[in-house]
Amino acid sequence: MGRRKYLTQKQLAVLDDLFNGELDEQAVLKEHRVRRGTYERWLADQAFAEQFKQYVNVLARRSELLLAKYSCVAAAKLVELTASAKGEIARRACIDIMGMPKRISQQLEAAKVSECSEVAEIPRLSARAASKLLAVLAEDKG
């Protein structure tokens, strides 16, 4: 079994600034004096790539939480817009409100499908293959 590779302090600092700072990718690399080639090599490294993906997942969860928190506020504002004096704004708000249940049900359905596809299917063994495996295991024990 291979040894677990740990990230350097510099790699961790770059990741932290990329995902938690205000600078863009190029500015972060410049600030930490990391060449583009070095950064590309880090991205190809499994340990760095895994940590990078964890940061991405955290941001995605934060976004979902933020949207969930403010969806009620947004819906209330949309309802307010239906009473707007400007006809076009009121019309668009009404259309958006009417389409909301459909979008919500599509999102829920997509979530169910992705949840089901994440479950790995366990291949079934034939009776013959199972008996052969048991015979081999019995021989090893004996």
Side-chain angles (χ1 to χ4, degrees):
M1 217 175 187
R3 287 181 20 207
R4 171 111 170 100
K5 184 181 175 210
Y6 295 98
L7 300 181
T8 65
Q9 289 297 330
K10 190 172 203 170
Q11 288 174 319
L12 292 170
V14 166
L15 282 172
D16 193 52
D17 282 351
L18 278 172
F19 288 95
N20 297 320
E22 298 297 320
L23 301 175
D24 67 351
E25 183 180 61
Q26 191 58 42
V28 168
L29 295 179
K30 186 176 180 181
E31 180 180 314
H32 290 278
R33 295 185 181 111
V34 175
R35 291 189 182 136
R36 173 60 64 179
T38 303
Y39 179 63
E40 296 293 333
R41 205 171 49 251
W42 288 355
L43 288 171
D45 177 65
Q46 184 180 1
F48 188 85
E50 285 176 11
Q51 189 67 37
F52 188 95
K53 189 168 180 118
Q54 285 180 353
Y55 273 99
V56 169
N57 290 337
V58 166
L59 286 180
R61 281 193 304 272
R62 283 185 195 164
S63 297
E64 275 186 74
L65 179 62
L66 189 63
L67 288 173
K69 279 184 175 181
Y70 289 98
S71 63
C72 290
V73 173
K77 294 222 182 249
L78 201 53
V79 170
E80 286 176 19
L81 287 175
T82 60
S84 174
K86 297 180 180 177
E88 182 62 18
I89 292 175
R91 183 185 74 76
R92 286 185 182 178
C94 289
I95 290 172
D96 286 345
I97 289 171
M98 289 187 310
M100 285 178 94
K102 184 177 181 181
R103 281 194 302 271
I104 291 170
S105 66
Q106 287 171 342
Q107 289 171 346
L108 288 173
E109 189 61 36
K112 285 180 189 175
V113 167
S114 69
E115 188 176 291
C116 291
S117 67
E118 288 176 5
V119 176
E121 242 183 80
I122 299 171
R124 295 203 176 255
L125 289 176
S126 66
R128 185 175 178 194
S131 66
K132 282 183 180 180
L133 284 172
L134 288 173
V136 169
L137 289 172
E139 284 178 20
D140 277 352
K141 248 190 169 171

